[in-house]
Amino acid sequence: MRVIGVVDLLAGRAVHARAGRRDSYQPVRAVAGLPIESGDALALARAYVDRLGVTELYAADLEAILGGASQDALVAAVAALDAPLWVDAGVTSTQRARHSLGLGATRVVVGLETLASYEALGEICAALDGDRVAFSLDLREGEPVVAATGDIPLRESAHVVASRAANAGVGAVIVLDLARVGTGAGLDFALIARVRESTPGQILLAGGGVRGYEDLARLADAGCDGALVATALHDGRLGAADVTSAHRLG
């Protein structure tokens, strides 16, 4: 079970995401219960790796996802820490995907909330090695979050959306319920199990609401390969021993 430490970037700082309400995110001030300089993204990433034994990182450039200027220098600095890095920077085209790889991303994340079409996703996968492309199944309370200007059909079930993304050639699928992020509400294990059944050949990650080690164990039992975690690492509910134990799961 991979434990992937999340670094959410907004206005040049690492912020604590809560329930997808991006206008109210506050700077991260602690990791593993110990203080860091407010919003210091590099200190956060280093603490994940050095204090907690996290071996992979996930950077979400919220500025780019919201349609603003990308935070390239900050993403590149996180990539330079030499831990494999998944980057979600509002990628909508092959050009933008290649740009993320150029910053040092190991895998490029294409999010449902900014995706124009499954055809566009297929083009990105065809142009890159599909194994380097991950699809973020962005949800809110279990319902897919679809771009208003895109061609993704409305009201498709989450597992159907995931299956279509898998057919487009992605190497990984991430189930991410924005309403659960940072809330400690737990995960929708039944939904995750349906997505697992619909994407048998892809790496499957889940995020949003991870409360502690027991949730990681349940995800492993559900066939998940890893979890995106932030809050439980910040406040110490997941410590270094838990991360080490999680690596042995599944």
Side-chain angles (χ1 to χ4, degrees), residues 92-239:
T92 57
S93 67
T94 298
Q95 179 182 5
R96 291 302 302 171
R98 286 185 171 136
H99 181 77
S100 289
L101 291 178
L103 295 176
T106 306
R107 293 180 188 265
V108 175
V109 179
V110 180
L112 177 61
E113 67 173 319
T114 55
L115 181 64
S117 66
Y118 294 116
E119 290 75 16
L121 181 59
E123 289 171 3
I124 293 170
C125 292
L128 282 61
D129 179 351
D131 286 343
R132 301 194 74 181
V133 181
F135 173 70
S136 181
L137 176 58
D138 300 323
L139 308 171
R140 187 173 293 280
E141 297 180 349
E143 296 298 323
V145 179
V146 177
T149 58
D151 294 329
I152 305 292
L154 297 173
R155 291 181 291 279
E156 283 189 325
S157 297
H159 69 279
V160 173
V161 175
S163 178
R164 293 194 177 195
N167 290 337
V170 301
V173 173
I174 304 165
V175 180
L176 183 63
D177 196 316
L178 300 171
R180 295 172 181 261
V181 168
T183 65
L187 301 108
D188 187 338
F189 292 98
L191 184 150
I192 291 166
R194 291 193 294 273
V195 172
R196 175 72 289 173
E197 291 177 2
S198 69
T199 58
Q202 278 68 37
I203 293 169
L204 181 62
L205 308 179
V210 173
R211 294 166 293 191
Y213 181 79
E214 288 187 6
D215 281 348
L216 297 181
R218 288 188 66 183
L219 286 173
D221 289 342
C224 266
D225 300 288
L228 305 184
V229 188
T231 304
L233 295 173
H234 298 171
D235 62 21
R237 281 177 293 156
L238 272 177

